[in-house]
């Protein structure tokens, strides 16, 4: 009896979930795959990112836009393309201009090793230096073996 009630509760919860939640999850999964493939040579990452950016803009999911730009920061940094990484950071700064999610720009600076243009309001659980080192280690891992990093 309990299992039957549990199943009904789960089915009911799933059936009333807003469709946008599933789209956001799908976008996040696709962005995670893009980050996994960061540093891969060729136009594939850029092509996938362009499609994702269009889908994200259409869906209006800010959190997904932030994740996409951060994944691109990782990709461009692994590839050694500082100019493209700076463009990604500029888009992150625009997306966080209102004060929400500013830690994404911090992480982008940690990934690239580029200095931030202004002090961060973010307080890290570990020291900022320890957090930055973890992100730089991820870049190094991707540079050494893009398919095995993460």
């Amino acid at each position: 009896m309990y299992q039957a009630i549990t199943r009904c509760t789960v089915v009911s919860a799933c059936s009333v979930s807003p469709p946008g939640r599933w789209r956001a999850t799908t976008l996040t999964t696709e962005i995670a795959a893009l980050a996994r493939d960061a540093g891969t040579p060729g136009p594939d990452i850029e092509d996938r990112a362009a499609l994702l950016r269009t889908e994200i803009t259409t869906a209006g999911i800010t959190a997904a836009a932030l994740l996409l730009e951060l994944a691109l920061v990782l990709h461009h940094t692994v590839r050694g393309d500082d100019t493209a990484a700076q463009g990604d950071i500029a888009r992150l700064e625009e997306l966080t201009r209102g004060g929400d999610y500013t830690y994404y720009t911090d992480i982008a600076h940690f990934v690239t090793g580029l200095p931030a243009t202004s002090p961060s309001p973010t307080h890290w659980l570990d020291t900022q230096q320890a957090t930055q080192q973890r992100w730089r280690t991820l870049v190094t891992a991707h540079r050494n073996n893009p398919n095995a990093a993460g």
Side-chain angles (χ1 to χ4, degrees):
M1 176 78 163
Y2 176 74
Q3 289 177 341
I5 292 170
T6 303
R7 282 192 202 116
C8 289
T9 303
V10 170
V11 170
S12 295
C14 291
S15 64
V16 296
S17 295
R21 176 185 286 166
W22 301 116
R23 186 67 198 134
T25 301
T26 300
L27 289 168
T28 301
T29 302
E30 291 174 18
I31 294 166
L34 192 102
R36 177 200 61 215
D37 297 339
T40 303
D44 181 58
I45 298 287
E46 299 293 338
D47 293 345
R48 289 164 49 198
L51 289 172
L52 282 167
R53 190 174 282 119
T54 299
E55 290 181 44
I56 290 166
T57 301
T58 300
I61 303 172
T62 302
L66 293 161
L67 287 172
L68 176 61
E69 297 306 330
L70 190 56
L72 287 170
V73 166
L74 176 62
H75 172 66
H76 292 130
T77 301
V78 170
R79 302 276 302 146
D81 189 344
D82 289 343
T83 302
Q86 288 171 340
D88 303 327
I89 291 172
R91 284 188 293 281
L92 276 171
E93 288 171 345
E94 180 64 28
L95 289 166
T96 60
R97 184 176 303 230
D100 294 328
Y101 305 106
T102 56
Y103 56 90
Y104 278 92
T105 55
D106 293 344
I107 294 170
H109 287 286
F110 295 163
V111 167
T112 62
L114 297 171
T117 55
S118 61
S120 171
T122 306
H123 299 282
W124 300 95
L125 293 177
D126 289 336
T127 66
Q128 183 170 331
Q129 184 177 8
T131 305
Q132 181 175 8
Q133 184 55 48
R134 279 195 298 279
W135 284 101
R136 292 299 300 163
T137 299
L138 180 65
V139 170
T140 302
H142 269 283
R143 281 186 176 150
N144 292 338
N145 188 355
N147 294 324

